Amino acid sequence: MEGILAIIFIFGGGSMFLLAVSPVGRAFADRIRGGAIISDDTVRKLQESHQDVLDELEAVRREVGELHERMDFTERVLAQNRQAGLPPGDGAA
């Protein structure tokens, strides 16, 4: 049991040390201390980036909606062909 605890403390301590000296660890420590004040310019850039992502998401939603309508149309045409007993075509006229 003591061997397992020793291994956990060694690897856990090493991991915590590496996290503490990494940029992520430093940023986390700054946040805890109340530092890392964000400038108005940074906030504005983040808001613009956020809006760009929302606009892109809306465009993707529209495209997915259009694809859904096309797929429904294709399914209806295939179902009509099956009901009429027509063989599936290869698209060549």
Side-chain angles (χ1 to χ4, degrees):
M1 182 68 177
E2 292 83 20
I4 293 174
L5 286 176
I7 291 172
I8 291 172
F9 284 128
I10 289 172
F11 285 109
S15 298
M16 292 301 287
F17 173 76
L18 291 175
L19 178 65
V21 298
S22 72
V24 172
R26 288 191 204 126
F28 188 64
D30 285 343
R31 188 65 127 170
I32 291 173
R33 285 191 294 257
I37 298 173
I38 300 174
S39 70
D40 291 338
D41 187 46
T42 304
V43 170
R44 183 183 51 77
K45 287 180 182 177
L46 285 173
Q47 287 173 339
E48 289 174 359
S49 175
H50 178 74
Q51 188 59 45
D52 290 344
V53 169
L54 290 177
D55 293 342
E56 183 69 24
L57 178 61
E58 185 60 33
V60 169
R61 284 181 177 166
R62 276 193 306 271
E63 290 176 10
V64 168
E66 291 172 6
L67 288 173
H68 181 72
E69 290 175 10
R70 290 178 182 184
M71 186 179 70
D72 285 345
F73 174 75
T74 304
E75 287 175 346
R76 284 193 303 271
V77 169
L78 288 173
Q80 288 173 356
N81 285 347
R82 273 189 235 126
Q83 288 175 354
L86 298 175
D90 61 355

